[in-house]
Amino acid sequence: MNEPPASWEDSSPERLYVITGGRSGPSTEVHLDLVTLVVAKGSARPEMQPEQAAILQMCQSPLSVAEISAYAGLPVSVVTVLVGDLMAARRVYVRPPVPAAQLPDLALIEAVIDGLQKL
């Protein structure tokens, strides 16, 4: 049996290609990680793509790129392109993820343990 053709509204490759303008990465130099926080600077404008307007609406409070992807139902790669465009247009703030804490020097930990054992 033949299945009905997929509608334009699903996440077909053609739709995603149109949304990103055929680009596979953001247009900014800033690396957008899954945990990069995005905050909208203002509200959407009528001339914006619906997906960009939805991102601005979602990001009135800080959201990570992964959360935006989940809420919008779009792949992370598409979200990074859209957020990159919004960054270039100065419509959003982004905060890179907080770097992982550096562990103290192993020699220092051993010295503390040794000192505690001598008490």
Side-chain angles (χ1 to χ4, degrees):
M1 290 190 187
N2 290 343
E3 301 226 356
S7 73
W8 178 254
E9 294 302 317
D10 66 3
S11 293
S12 67
E14 295 86 7
R15 177 175 175 263
L16 300 177
Y17 182 86
V18 170
I19 290 171
T20 62
R23 293 172 292 143
S24 62
S27 57
T28 61
E29 294 294 320
V30 176
H31 174 71
L32 297 173
D33 198 347
L34 290 174
V35 293
T36 300
L37 293 178
V38 181
V39 182
K41 285 185 176 181
S43 58
R45 291 191 235 161
E47 70 272 6
M48 292 182 136
Q49 287 179 281
E51 294 80 11
Q52 286 181 327
I55 289 172
L56 286 178
Q57 185 177 2
M58 279 185 251
C59 292
Q60 294 303 312
S61 297
L63 283 179
S64 70
V65 170
E67 290 171 311
I68 296 168
S69 174
Y71 291 141
L74 294 170
V76 171
S77 59
V78 173
V79 171
T80 58
V81 170
L82 295 174
V83 170
D85 291 347
L86 289 169
M87 286 172 54
R90 300 184 187 269
R91 305 290 298 160
V92 295
Y93 294 109
V94 296
R95 190 187 86 196
V98 177
Q102 294 286 337
L103 293 176
D105 183 32
L106 184 57
L108 176 64
I109 293 173
E110 290 173 347
V112 169
I113 291 172
D114 185 49
L116 289 172
Q117 288 175 342
K118 289 180 180 179
L119 289 177

